[in-house]
Amino acid sequence: MITYQEHRLRTLVEGGRWPELLAAYRRARAAAVAQVGEERAAAETAPLGHLIAYSAPPELAVRLFGPDGGPGTAAGVADHDAGPLWEVLATRHSWLRLAPLLGPAPVRRLVAHTRVLVGEDLSYGAEPDPEGVPLVLEPWESAGWGENSRVRDYLPRGGSRSAVLSLPATREGLGPVLLPAPAGRLRGQRATRALAALAEWAEVVCVRGPAPEAAARLTAARRVTGGYLPFAIACPALLQAGAADRTRGSADGRLALWRALGAMAGGDGPDRAGVNALVARMRCFTWCDPADGLRHLHLAMEDPATGLSWAVSGSDEP
């Protein structure tokens, strides 16, 4: 049964009456914040926010995130339906259109990195990233993806499509491997914490030794199907691990990955030169697990310059 309110909103959408829709969104969000709190209010009003972010002219859509509507009316970085509302907006318009309109710094930054992920070079057209993450894709960031798969593909009325990126995705190129005895776990590494923040559903370890010795810490089997692969092939799965939850977008995954790589390279932040040097020398090992679900990640990364290896393993399915 279609309620009167749903019919009215549908009429406003079909008529392109975006100012009225924005006003309705703001009223609903502020009322819900007062009644049930910020988190539930964001969830209740996100479907209408999705419609506005997807289809409204950018001059109006950016006002979803503006404070001019009063307390409780502005969407934040965690407001989401099929994905974050800021990511929906960022997939619809170029940085040239959005840059003069976007105000809130956290949203502005995430939108900029989303535009980078869809292929824009903002290295000369936007303010520098506060952590130093480059505003253009490095070759190793773009090499392992299918066409148009770096960001969710959003649908006009809600919902999205996204690539299911797991590592290893297939057994092609892999073979039987006898893992060595696991090396001793090193604790207190900043890079370990950064990798754990990237893939919150995975276990992360650091060892002093080659990549297979790190992998052996996270699998009970000594004989596995595995093999080495370039980091560029592993990069998409790592980024998607950081964006697996609908409250996070691909830009969150990219920023988290750069933080982790920066820590692995020994820097205080994601230094571009240091990260690129690390990626160029790193040796990556992946393996299969018989219990793997649809989304899984098994990767060990070895830095020959330091003799350290990190392994990340798990599945985001129960």
Side-chain angles (χ1 to χ4, degrees), residues 222-280:
R222 294 282 72 85
R223 292 187 179 275
V224 299
T225 299
Y228 286 90
L229 75 169
F231 181 78
I233 302 301
C235 176
L238 286 167
L239 190 149
Q240 287 293 83
D245 192 281
R246 287 190 300 169
T247 63
R248 304 176 73 182
S250 294
D252 290 305
R254 182 175 191 244
L255 292 170
L257 177 57
W258 272 86
R259 291 185 195 110
L261 292 172
M264 291 169 66
D268 293 329
D271 174 71
R272 185 177 186 179
V275 168
N276 282 332
L278 169 69
V279 168

Side-chain angles (χ1 to χ4, degrees), residues 15-84:
R17 294 158 64 179
W18 300 112
E20 294 174 67
L21 281 162
L22 177 63
Y25 171 84
R26 286 173 163 177
R27 285 194 302 270
R29 197 182 190 286
V33 167
Q35 293 174 6
V36 298
E38 185 78 23
E39 185 174 346
R40 284 184 59 187
E44 290 178 8
T45 56
L48 178 55
H50 180 107
L51 290 174
I52 296 170
Y54 187 96
S55 297
E59 293 79 8
L60 185 135
V62 296
R63 294 176 62 195
L64 282 169
F65 310 97
D68 58 305
T73 62
V77 294
D79 285 54
H80 68 283
D81 185 31

Side-chain angles (χ1 to χ4, degrees), residues 201-224:
W201 39 265
E203 186 178 359
V204 180
V205 297
C206 176
V207 307
R208 186 172 298 282
E213 291 185 11
R217 294 288 322 175
L218 298 184
T219 176
R222 294 282 72 85
R223 292 187 179 275
V224 299

Side-chain angles (χ1 to χ4, degrees), residues 130-155:
E131 290 183 273
V133 178
L135 290 172
V136 62
L137 290 177
E138 298 295 331
W140 51 266
E141 289 187 275
S142 57
W145 296 86
E147 186 177 359
N148 301 323
S149 62
R150 287 190 290 269
V151 180
R152 294 182 183 98
D153 178 21
Y154 289 100
L155 307 176

Side-chain angles (χ1 to χ4, degrees), residues 269-293:
D271 174 71
R272 185 177 186 179
V275 168
N276 282 332
L278 169 69
V279 168
R281 67 178 182 261
M282 194 156 51
R283 303 184 73 222
C284 296
F285 178 83
T286 189
W287 70 96
C288 298
D289 188 309
D292 284 340

